[in-house]
Amino acid sequence: MTEKRVYTFGNGKAEGKADMRNLLGGKGANLAEMNLIGVPVPPGFTITTDVCNEYFEKGKEKVVDLLTAEVKKSVEHVEKLMNCKFGDPTNPLLVSVRSGARASMPGMMDTILNLGLNDTVVEGLAKKTGNERFAYDSYRRFVQMYGDVVLGLKPVNKEDIDPFEAIIQKVKAERGVKLDNEMTVDDLKKLVTLFKQAIKEQTGKDFPTDPMEQLWGAICAVFTSWMNERAILYRKMEGIPQEWGTAVTVQAMVFGNMGDTSATGVCFSRDAGNGENIFNGEYLVNAQGEDVVAGIRTPQQITLEGSKRWAKQQGVSEEKRAAKYPSMEETMPEIFAQLNEIQDKLEKHYHDMQDMEFTVQDGKLWFLQTRNGKRTGTAMVKIAMDLLAEGEIDEKTALKRCEPGKLDELLHPVFDKEALAEARVLTRGLPASPGAACGQIVFFADDAAKWREDGRNVVMVRIETSPEDLAGMSAAEGILTARGGMTSHAAVVARGMGKCCVSGAGAIMIDYKKKTVEIDGVVLHEGDYLSINGSTGEVYYGEVKTKPAEVTGDFAKLMALCEKYSKLVVRTNADTPRDAEIARSFGAVGIGLCRTEHMFFENEKIKAMREMILADTVEGRETALDKLLPYQKQDFYGILKCMDGTPVNIRLLDPPLHEFVPHDLEGQEIMAKEMGVSVKFIKQRVNSLSEHNPMLGLRGCRLGNTFPEITAMQTKAILGAAVQLKKEGFNPMPEIMIPLVGIVNELDAQEAIIRKTAAKLFKKEGVEVDFKVGTMIEIPRAALTADLIANKAEYFSFGTNDLTQMTFGYSRDDIASFLPSYLEKKILDVDPFQVLDQDGVGQLIKIAVEKGRNTRKNLKCGICGEHGGEPHSVKFCHRVGLNYVSCSPFRVPIARLAAAQAAVEE
Ligand code: PEP
Ligand code: MG
């Protein structure tokens, strides 16, 4: 690690720059960069992310020791540039202390503003600014934040309101006023005293008066907040490693609460919700930063156009809007012009949509932060395609800008137009994060998580959200809040998560104690259904029907780009024509796995299937198979027709047989009657089929080799359907796949049955259809002897579900009994059934591909385990030279993007 622990910036100079984000965090690196490109930024310094790791290794005292000299020097640097002094009662410097990780984690860690105030300094600040109200407002905010973050005064129960907020409400009630700005200077002074008293009473701690002691408390609290519960949860969800740590930035305060010529705000260079190229944002006059994001006051729009749109959504008349909620473009036109110019400059500098924070202090504009803005999946795609069209980025960059996993949001259902036309609109809020959500109402984050676990869809309804609500937001289908604007915590976090969110629906009245919400005269209780549209801000009564999404517009453009660059193609795992159709509409170019055992579950079919399984003679089985043949043929006909002209890889039966037979007495009696045998016989057969570990029993080709007539029937059904389609003028391309092969002899025996059956069928029908016979590589022995297997197999498909099971020796059925503990103890980094284990299972794949292609040069290789739709695994498949991946229909676009990225990352 470097010895330098602190990097300063200010007045157009900086020790850091944009590409030092690993060391300085995103915020620190960008503050440095903004200085270098001439954006007005208050001076300050950043303590590195390495120090965060030292803090957790060596402890607080040691780290304070190590930092003291550098921090002191850096404070002097800021004092010099600001021409004032930290702790000086006549000319005081105040600072903010903020976290800043390498990857942005909005609202997850702590921030402290106005640090450096005490009973004497506040007087000095009042004199210096001639604004006693501002000085005491800043002081009460400081005591409130510091008391919460550093000294730990928090609500005791989830239904309780914040203890500081409770004191504010009490003081307001005693004075008979409603708004913050109706409080007098004496009220603010009283708040400071009451806050300090409450802190002392409940935490036993005295509020520190020495500014340097305050500063160390705040720096350490920010480091500590790296390990708070919500930050840990957020990192887990976003895959951010703990070792990255957070930096701490200490910066001279500029004040947005110095009166009507001051303001604070947040803005985006494009729309983070839908991606439109429209500068937008929110501001509040005479306020500090947290007022905008906390959702306590509803902020106003920066642009006139945005303001007018907001008023329309909220049902506010133009007259009222102009008088009560004017835009910054109207109230501070010169500042607005500067802001607009700088936002454009920053976007062009970073070639990406920027999310910026600013403060106006007494008519002067300062930037406090810029970062690449979090955005929804829709916005991600639109912005990448627009920046490409504008010539700001090239095609490869556009592909890399899109996160494959985030495409999932674009595949979610949207409200059905007809259902929407009938739906009753209860109210409107702000369209904070797009999408359609429908679910049962819950009011608390822990309930949302619990209900979700029980398999229920929920909509979380809150007055406003705070970072504590993260787990609930993640569990909910959507979030509805009564307060807060487009940049409130709820909105920013929901967009980051790709959750549908309607914020600032002012007309809803929530009672947490009764667990009710009243909207437009309707009282809804916990558990009642509600639907919300995050794209329009509309809130609907009850359940509104949804329909599947489509690949059109920018999404289609992105997919075309994927096709241009990828080498891997993407097929789908589908067992029904419906799934196949969805996958085709998402761009799948064939079926990589059609599991036939799923076709037997419907009524008549299950009966014949059971009869086949329970029969104990070849004749008995053949009678049952004759009943199954037409059903199977019909199923294959549907799928081959739907996938006309593309390969369809159909796997022969691979059933855990015991799952198909009746285990209850009633079912066994019915079965006995249908088959004309005794219940005792059925019982015996069911018992003989029971397996201790069903995942390794009479499965795959072991079944077809034990009962060859099953393989013959399935071959007849597949090729019979193909012949019929060919006669009808279609171009079926069936592939017959033999599962769970471990020894080439198993494949040999199955292939012989298939070829013999095919020859007989083609002769009888007078038509031949091209087809291939391949195998799954899902047993380690098959991978290791792939050269022999390739003598017979015309293609390989890696069944990485079973291959993982057998390589690790973890049963697919009972991994849940130890996986959580393994993940927690970091014995495993990830679930190997979700993300391919490249070192172990991946090595087997590599070996098999190499050996297989030694025997058969152009052997086609694919993957059809669950990993085929997981971006990291797809990239691995590209690197080892597979020809295709196959995944469930809704993951097809994700796999297509990952495949293209793998190609451009080469
Ligand atoms: C596999 O094992 O990876 C596979 C695709 O087959 P199944 O999941 O049906 O065992
Ligand atoms: Mg398998």
Side-chain angles (χ1 to χ4, degrees):
M1 75 160 279
T2 51
E3 272 306 300
K4 188 171 170 57
R5 293 181 171 84
V6 181
Y7 288 71
T8 57
F9 55 83
N11 212 15
K13 296 202 180 75
E15 292 179 311
K17 55 183 178 3
D19 64 8
M20 287 168 71
R21 66 163 38 232
N22 293 2
L23 189 65
L24 302 179
K27 192 176 291 156
N30 286 335
L31 282 169
E33 185 81 5
M34 282 199 283
N35 262 287
L36 298 176
I37 62 168
V39 174
V41 169
F45 57 92
T46 300
I47 305 171
T48 68
T49 52
D50 284 344
V51 179
C52 182
N53 288 329
E54 277 186 303
Y55 180 83
F56 289 106
E57 273 164 35
K58 300 179 179 160
K60 188 168 163 176
E61 271 172 31
K62 178 83 190 144
V63 163
V64 170
D65 250 16
L66 285 171
L67 283 173
T68 300
E70 274 183 276
V71 165
K72 198 166 160 272
K73 222 172 110 202
S74 305
V75 169
E76 283 164 13
H77 158 85
V78 180
E79 286 175 339
K80 210 163 128 205
L81 291 181
M82 292 300 281
N83 196 23
C84 50
K85 260 188 139 31
F86 199 43
D88 185 325
T90 54
N91 184 21
L93 164 72
L94 302 190
V95 296
S96 66
V97 181
R98 294 163 189 260
S99 62
R102 198 193 292 192
S104 118
M105 296 170 57
M108 294 307 127
M109 287 171 295
D110 293 324
T111 289
I112 289 152
L113 304 180
N114 309 330
L115 189 138
L117 282 170
N118 57 30
D119 290 353
T120 338
V121 171
V122 71
E123 286 296 327
L125 184 67
K127 274 208 199 96
K128 181 181 162 187
T129 58
N131 190 339
E132 196 183 17
R133 190 192 158 76
F134 150 74
Y136 276 94
D137 186 42
S138 304
Y139 194 20
R140 72 98 187 156
R141 285 167 187 272
F142 169 54
V143 176
Q144 186 172 349
M145 270 192 184
Y146 201 92
D148 168 13
V149 170
V150 185
L151 304 174
L153 178 60
K154 311 230 181 238
V156 183
N157 301 306
K158 70 179 181 186
E159 290 89 358
D160 294 346
I161 63 164
D162 176 70
F164 297 103
E165 208 46 52
I167 295 172
I168 296 174
Q169 283 184 9
K170 195 166 150 242
V171 168
K172 279 190 198 160
E174 278 167 13
R175 287 255 302 105
V177 298
K178 275 194 166 159
L179 300 173
D180 283 6
N181 60 13
E182 290 170 326
M183 284 190 286
T184 62
V185 173
D186 283 341
D187 293 335
L188 297 171
K189 287 183 180 171
K190 193 167 170 189
L191 284 183
V192 171
T193 311
L194 292 175
F195 283 171
K196 286 185 179 174
Q197 259 172 24
I199 294 168
K200 175 78 183 164
E201 272 164 28
Q202 289 178 49
T203 71
K205 292 174 199 157
D206 286 313
F207 199 90
T209 52
D210 171 23
M212 216 49 210
E213 187 186 340
Q214 294 173 352
L215 181 60
W216 287 117
I219 290 172
C220 293
V222 171
F223 281 139
T224 306
S225 70
W226 178 249
M227 288 294 192
N228 73 29
E229 243 175 68
R230 58 184 196 248
I232 292 173
L233 178 66
Y234 189 86
R235 285 202 291 275
K236 217 181 205 170
M237 289 183 342
E238 300 283 314
I240 299 172
Q242 187 177 304
E243 310 77 73
W244 283 8
T246 180
V248 178
T249 293
V250 178
Q251 197 178 16
M253 282 297 302
V254 286
F255 298 96
N257 58 338
M258 273 178 73
D260 288 345
T261 52
S262 299
T264 187
V266 175
C267 57
F268 297 88
S269 59
R270 294 177 192 236
D271 189 315
N274 63 23
E276 266 182 71
N277 188 2
I278 294 175
F279 173 47
N280 65 97
E282 297 172 331
Y283 80 113
L284 278 171
V285 173
N286 196 13
Q288 275 200 331
E290 81 274 15
D291 296 341
V292 181
V293 283
I296 292 162
R297 275 167 67 185
T298 296
Q300 292 153 235
Q301 297 295 309
I302 288 180
T303 66
L304 178 57
E305 192 190 333
S307 180
K308 288 191 166 167
R309 196 177 328 134
W310 171 88
K312 211 166 150 200
Q313 276 155 357
Q314 296 277 312
V316 170
S317 72
E318 171 55 20
E319 246 178 10
K320 191 170 168 192
R321 182 205 68 78
K324 273 194 86 177
Y325 309 104
S327 67
M328 191 175 188
E329 195 170 350
E330 294 157 288
T331 57
M332 300 181 170
E334 278 162 29
I335 299 279
F336 171 79
Q338 275 176 46
L339 185 69
N340 199 2
E341 196 181 308
I342 296 175
Q343 66 86 18
D344 193 45
K345 178 176 182 166
L346 285 171
E347 184 182 284
K348 294 226 158 70
H349 184 70
Y350 287 99
H351 305 289
D352 200 357
M353 186 265 274
Q354 295 298 296
D355 164 356
M356 298 151 284
E357 285 177 22
F358 64 89
T359 284
V360 181
Q361 175 175 307
D362 208 8
K364 172 157 174 54
L365 174 67
W366 296 93
F367 270 68
L368 304 181
Q369 172 163 338
T370 191
R371 58 186 170 197
N372 293 341
K374 290 220 174 288
R375 61 203 76 178
T376 62
T378 312
M380 170 186 83
V381 175
K382 177 159 173 58
I383 291 172
M385 291 303 106
D386 283 355
L387 287 172
L388 172 65
E390 291 159 25
E392 285 291 319
I393 55 175
D394 61 17
E395 289 183 345
K396 290 184 178 179
T397 310
L399 280 170
K400 287 190 210 160
R401 282 282 170 83
C402 296
E403 251 176 77
K406 253 185 150 20
L407 290 183
D408 186 47
E409 291 163 36
L410 282 84
L411 306 170
H412 284 326
V414 291
F415 282 126
D416 182 88
K417 275 214 177 78
E418 279 167 25
L420 212 53
E422 310 249 300
R424 171 172 169 197
V425 178
L426 288 175
T427 186
R428 275 187 190 83
L430 299 173
S433 181
C438 168
Q440 291 174 276
I441 296 172
V442 289
F443 295 94
F444 299 105
D446 51 351
D447 293 329
K450 249 185 268 148
W451 287 42
R452 178 73 214 138
E453 245 170 54
D454 295 342
R456 290 186 272 187
N457 289 342
V458 298
V459 171
M460 189 158 93
V461 180
R462 300 279 307 162
I463 296 174
E464 69 222 9
T465 65
S466 78
E468 263 86 26
D469 295 320
L470 196 64
M473 294 173 75
S474 153
E477 298 301 301
I479 299 118
L480 170 63
T481 72
R483 290 206 292 236
M486 294 292 281
T487 50
S488 63
H489 172 267
V492 172
V493 175
R495 281 199 293 273
M497 286 180 174
K499 286 274 151 157
C500 164
C501 175
V502 173
S503 70
I508 71 174
M509 285 183 293
I510 298 169
D511 187 327
Y512 285 141
K513 287 222 154 76
K514 287 194 195 135
K515 296 192 180 172
T516 57
V517 52
E518 189 178 335
I519 319 176
D520 195 22
V522 181
V523 178
L524 297 165
H525 296 82
E526 181 183 62
D528 288 346
Y529 278 89
L530 196 67
S531 303
I532 56 174
N533 187 339
S535 313
T536 62
E538 273 154 347
V539 177
Y540 304 99
Y541 183 71
E543 273 181 286
V544 179
K545 253 190 26 211
T546 54
K547 71 171 180 57
E550 286 166 0
V551 181
T552 51
D554 288 306
F555 192 7
K557 279 188 209 158
L558 175 68
M559 287 294 110
L561 213 53
C562 290
E563 201 166 311
K564 177 169 171 189
Y565 284 94
S566 6
K567 297 197 179 124
L568 273 177
V569 299
V570 180
R571 294 195 190 182
T572 189
N573 292 358
D575 312 332
T576 62
R578 198 189 132 63
D579 283 355
E581 216 166 285
I582 293 174
R584 223 176 165 173
S585 78
F586 289 156
V589 292
I591 288 185
L593 174 65
C594 171
R595 291 177 165 102
T596 52
E597 52 282 358
H598 295 167
M599 297 174 169
F600 295 105
F601 277 108
E602 286 155 26
N603 243 342
E604 287 306 308
K605 295 187 208 174
I606 185 91
K607 273 193 212 156
M609 178 71 172
R610 285 174 167 176
E611 196 179 318
M612 190 274 287
I613 293 170
L614 293 170
D616 65 345
T617 59
V618 176
E619 296 75 42
R621 248 189 318 278
E622 278 181 340
T623 312
L625 285 168
D626 282 347
K627 290 185 197 163
L628 282 174
L629 178 61
Y631 292 129
Q632 280 263 275
K633 191 171 159 191
Q634 198 182 359
D635 287 334
F636 297 138
Y637 178 88
I639 288 178
L640 285 164
K641 186 168 173 184
C642 165
M643 297 304 287
D644 188 41
T646 68
V648 175
N649 185 5
I650 300 168
R651 180 178 73 183
L652 298 184
L653 210 51
D654 176 10
L657 289 184
H658 70 120
E659 282 181 11
F660 287 83
V661 295
H663 291 271
D664 58 313
L665 183 62
E666 197 189 340
Q668 292 179 347
E669 281 172 354
I670 295 173
M671 219 43 237
K673 215 168 173 184
E674 265 165 18
M675 286 177 69
V677 294
S678 70
V679 178
K680 194 171 155 215
F681 170 81
I682 297 287
K683 267 201 180 123
Q684 268 169 0
R685 288 290 295 150
V686 169
N687 286 343
S688 74
L689 288 167
S690 84
E691 291 180 2
H692 288 298
N693 187 342
M695 297 311 288
L696 290 177
L698 186 56
R699 276 192 52 199
C701 65
R702 299 163 202 169
L703 180 78
N705 277 326
T706 312
F707 307 121
E709 50 281 6
I710 299 178
T711 303
M713 181 282 282
Q714 289 205 290
T715 306
K716 266 188 247 165
I718 297 167
L719 298 179
V723 163
Q724 187 180 335
L725 281 164
K726 195 163 176 189
K727 285 182 183 166
E728 289 169 15
F730 292 96
N731 176 23
M733 295 170 67
E735 299 175 343
I736 301 180
M737 179 155 75
I738 302 173
L740 230 69
V741 164
I743 313 172
V744 68
N745 296 350
E746 289 179 306
L747 179 60
D748 243 357
Q750 287 289 282
E751 200 220 358
I753 302 167
I754 295 168
R755 299 266 178 222
K756 197 171 132 204
T757 312
K760 222 161 125 187
L761 179 86
F762 292 158
K763 197 163 167 213
K764 184 175 149 218
E765 296 287 341
V767 172
E768 286 202 7
V769 175
D770 280 338
F771 70 98
K772 286 195 170 69
V773 179
T775 187
M776 293 190 76
I777 303 287
E778 50 185 343
I779 290 183
R781 194 183 187 284
L784 296 171
T785 58
D787 45 347
L788 302 177
I789 291 184
N791 276 320
K792 281 285 159 196
E794 291 178 292
Y795 62 90
F796 284 175
S797 176
F798 289 94
T800 44
N801 302 334
D802 275 312
L803 196 57
T804 300
Q805 157 166 279
M806 284 178 249
T807 303
F808 276 87
Y810 298 161
S811 160
R812 290 161 71 168
D813 283 348
D814 54 27
I815 187 172
S817 62
F818 63 88
L819 183 68
S821 137
Y822 263 39
L823 291 174
E824 200 177 306
K825 292 183 179 135
K826 294 206 159 224
I827 294 174
L828 285 173
D829 288 335
V830 286
D831 176 356
F833 286 102
Q834 283 182 34
V835 182
L836 187 81
D837 159 49
Q838 299 183 11
D839 296 338
V841 179
Q843 206 184 134
L844 285 170
I845 295 178
K846 233 172 130 195
I847 291 170
V849 172
E850 276 165 25
K851 286 195 163 201
R853 286 188 181 151
N854 275 344
T855 303
R856 198 183 280 263
K857 198 162 159 261
N858 292 322
L859 181 76
K860 193 181 260 185
C861 296
I863 178 177
C864 63
E866 279 309 297
H867 308 93
E870 192 283 316
H872 297 97
S873 315
V874 171
K875 290 183 180 181
F876 173 82
C877 294
H878 167 91
R879 291 198 296 272
V880 295
L882 297 197
N883 303 89
Y884 70 85
V885 297
S886 187
C887 57
S888 59
F890 283 96
R891 289 169 95 183
V892 166
I894 297 172
R896 291 179 71 190
L897 178 54
Q901 288 185 341
V904 302
E905 279 163 12
E906 258 179 354

